Amino acid sequence: MPASKQKYVPTSGTYPKGFLATGIHVGVKPTNRQTPDLALLASENPCSGTAVFTKNKFQAAPVTLSRQVLERRSGEGIRAIIINSGCANAVTGKGGLDDASSMVRAVDACFQASPENTPPTQQGQASEPDPSSTLVMSTGVIGQRLPISKILAAIPTAYSGLSATHTSWLLAARAICTTDTFPKLLSRTFTLPSSPGTTYSLAGMTKGAGMIHPNMATLLGMLFTDAPIPAKTLQPLLTHAVDRSFNAISVDGDTSTNDTLAFLANGAAGGSPITSLTSEDGKAMTEIVTAFTQQLSQLVIRDGEGATKFVRVRVTNSPSFADAHKIASTIARSPLVKTALYGKDANWGRILCAVGYTEGLSPGAVVPEKTSVSFVPTDGSEVLKLLVRGEPESVDEKRAANILENEDLEILVDLGGGESGTGTEEASYWFCDFSHEYVTINGDYRT
């Protein structure tokens, strides 16, 4: 692990009650001799669950299977998530689906699912076998089959090693890594308006360093809380948070076949269930989860393959959030913007160009004569204005170069309210630069 990344790895944590974790070595890739590559996370009791998945048309077998598990259980009675790294189990045909299914069944067998975990049979329907209570994820090389025998043989060992310790959670976070240079794990405590005397916990882990431009209706993420949130509330809560976090980051503009972000809630800390996001508890939980997922997703950008810059682009005074989000996304995935930042070149014309070719904007969203572009230094010094209401500024190139020497940068694009002049919405995107190292990493990824 690079010394500069060590500060992002937690040395302790506050994890939600009733959740356990572990990570073990299997050797999914033959070249992996000792690094953990199989993670198991589980709730001691059945819990609510939901997930958002990639919109890539070539969806990996684990994506298909996990979606089916959640649908069959209506998001209730979920017990565990099993994740392997080293092989994506994507574009692997029926055999890949069989492998994912066998992983799920192996975990289910460890829990020896009891009758109370089975959803009630609807009237007039024949009784069916207990649907799985396990979600599955995979990440790694596309188009290769899993060494499924090795994985199935290791699952009971993983189950027996489940623990609530920080070490176990960190092992799980390490086990899901591929080209990541550090494990991405966060946790925090919080309270809710209806029960100020109760302390709840929220934990999350993610992986990803390349093929990152999620479009979640090879990035994986998991959130866990001991707050009481039923599945019908978890889904809109997660969607709101993801639109402002994991769907607002980009390393290289590529959307993986495996993108999955799951959220489990077991209610182990007690309290009244959050049944509406418009309630006081619902509003508080939305704010907490959104801020948490933003912080967690930004660790992916901090670890972008070959990255030397961590950049936030903020689009303000837009007629709508959707317009601002589309413009920010276009800037964040522009190769010309990203290479200019790597070269420490204040080439604001490339930023403006990306604004201008953004597709799908509402009429009048962008008016050239009202648009401004600035660099906002993260050290609190004065904003460097590059373009003001369509007119170029005389840029101090030396100061611009000094700003771009820093790892962190904010690009501010002010749309001036659009054609109507009344737009006040804004959106942010987080991304990194393109370096020579990015090409090196991805030029020999399979070798």
Side-chain angles (χ1 to χ4, degrees):
M1 182 191 309
S4 62
K5 307 295 185 182
Q6 187 66 50
K7 61 187 176 183
Y8 300 119
V9 182
T11 56
S12 62
T14 52
Y15 301 103
K17 298 179 181 67
F19 280 106
L20 308 171
T22 193
I24 65 171
H25 171 258
V26 173
V28 175
K29 290 180 73 171
T31 55
N32 178 13
R33 303 298 185 188
Q34 61 182 19
T35 304
D37 54 3
L38 185 69
L40 179 61
L41 297 109
S43 174
E44 293 176 327
N45 296 299
C47 60
S48 303
T50 192
V52 286
F53 300 99
T54 182
K55 291 183 180 177
N56 189 308
K57 290 187 178 6
F58 288 95
Q59 299 192 356
V63 170
T64 300
L65 196 63
S66 292
R67 182 184 283 112
Q68 291 175 353
V69 169
L70 289 168
E71 288 175 351
R72 289 171 182 170
R73 280 196 168 271
S74 299
E76 300 294 349
I78 305 300
R79 291 299 298 271
I81 306 176
I82 183 79
I83 314 103
N84 75 270
S85 62
C87 176
N89 192 12
V91 198
T92 47
K94 184 179 181 300
L97 283 169
D98 290 342
D99 290 344
S101 182
S102 64
M103 289 173 66
V104 162
R105 289 197 304 271
V107 176
D108 289 341
C110 292
F111 283 100
Q112 299 177 340
S114 55
E116 61 265 24
N117 293 335
T118 306
T121 303
Q122 295 183 11
Q123 188 174 1
Q125 290 185 342
S127 177
E128 296 182 355
D130 182 20
S132 175
S133 60
T134 301
L135 306 182
V136 59
M137 302 181 189
S138 297
T139 181
V141 178
I142 295 170
Q144 297 182 2
R145 290 285 298 277
L146 290 167
I148 194 62
S149 297
K150 292 168 69 175
I151 292 174
L152 296 181
I155 285 176
T157 301
Y159 178 79
S160 65
L162 285 169
S163 169
T165 65
H166 170 69
T167 299
S168 294
W169 280 85
L170 193 56
L171 277 172
R174 290 186 189 280
I176 68 175
C177 293
T178 50
T179 58
D180 307 62
T181 64
F182 66 92
K184 300 162 182 67
L185 174 66
L186 292 177
S187 63
R188 62 158 295 181
T189 58
F190 62 93
T191 59
L192 293 171
S194 68
S195 48
T198 301
T199 299
Y200 296 100
S201 295
L202 176 63
M205 64 180 67
T206 188
K207 64 81 51 185
M211 197 178 282
I212 304 297
H213 189 75
N215 186 14
M216 292 186 274
T218 172
L219 180 145
L220 304 181
M222 291 136 274
L223 304 174
F224 307 88
T225 185
D226 49 18
I229 314 174
K232 67 177 183 179
T233 310
L234 270 183
Q235 181 61 58
L237 173 60
L238 182 60
T239 298
H240 177 94
V242 165
D243 282 345
R244 291 156 178 79
S245 57
F246 283 92
N247 277 354
I249 61 172
S250 184
V251 168
D252 46 24
D254 278 355
T255 300
S256 168
T257 55
N258 292 55
D259 288 343
T260 303
L261 181 66
F263 193 179
L264 303 187
N266 65 9
S272 301
I274 301 174
T275 57
S276 171
L277 295 185
T278 60
S279 67
E280 290 305 307
D281 281 358
K283 292 176 183 177
M285 198 73 209
T286 299
E287 185 176 334
I288 290 164
V289 173
T290 300
F292 186 85
T293 54
Q294 286 179 344
Q295 187 180 3
L296 185 62
S297 66
Q298 287 166 28
L299 291 177
V300 176
I301 303 304
R302 293 286 184 191
D303 199 22
E305 289 174 345
T308 68
K309 293 282 185 291
F310 175 85
V311 188
R312 177 189 185 187
V313 55
R314 187 161 62 99
V315 179
T316 64
N317 295 315
S318 169
S320 71
F321 171 79
D323 287 331
H325 191 268
K326 289 174 183 176
I327 291 170
S329 172
T330 303
I331 295 169
R333 67 176 188 268
S334 165
L336 291 180
V337 171
K338 294 160 79 71
T339 50
L341 292 173
Y342 173 67
K344 303 179 180 64
D345 179 8
N347 194 337
W348 56 265
R350 294 182 176 183
I351 299 169
L352 202 64
C353 181
V355 174
Y357 67 67
T358 301
E359 297 181 349
L361 297 178
S362 60
V366 176
V367 178
E369 295 78 16
K370 292 186 175 183
T371 303
S372 302
V373 178
S374 304
F375 282 167
V376 182
T378 55
D379 60 5
S381 59
E382 185 180 357
V383 171
L384 179 64
K385 296 179 180 179
L386 306 171
L387 181 79
V388 178
R389 298 186 69 82
E391 294 292 332
E393 293 287 286
S394 178
V395 178
D396 182 341
E397 294 290 346
K398 183 176 181 181
R399 180 159 186 260
N402 288 337
I403 291 173
L404 292 174
E405 284 289 339
N406 297 317
E407 179 182 352
D408 291 13
L409 171 70
E410 178 179 318
I411 297 171
L412 176 63
V413 177
D414 186 341
L415 299 182
E419 188 174 51
S420 68
T422 60
T424 59
E425 295 293 322
E426 70 172 77
S428 292
Y429 233 86
W430 292 268
F431 68 104
C432 58
D433 56 347
F434 267 159
S435 68
H436 298 294
E437 182 65 16
Y438 176 85
V439 177
T440 299
I441 291 169
N442 285 282
D444 61 4
Y445 181 70
R446 294 203 307 163
T447 56

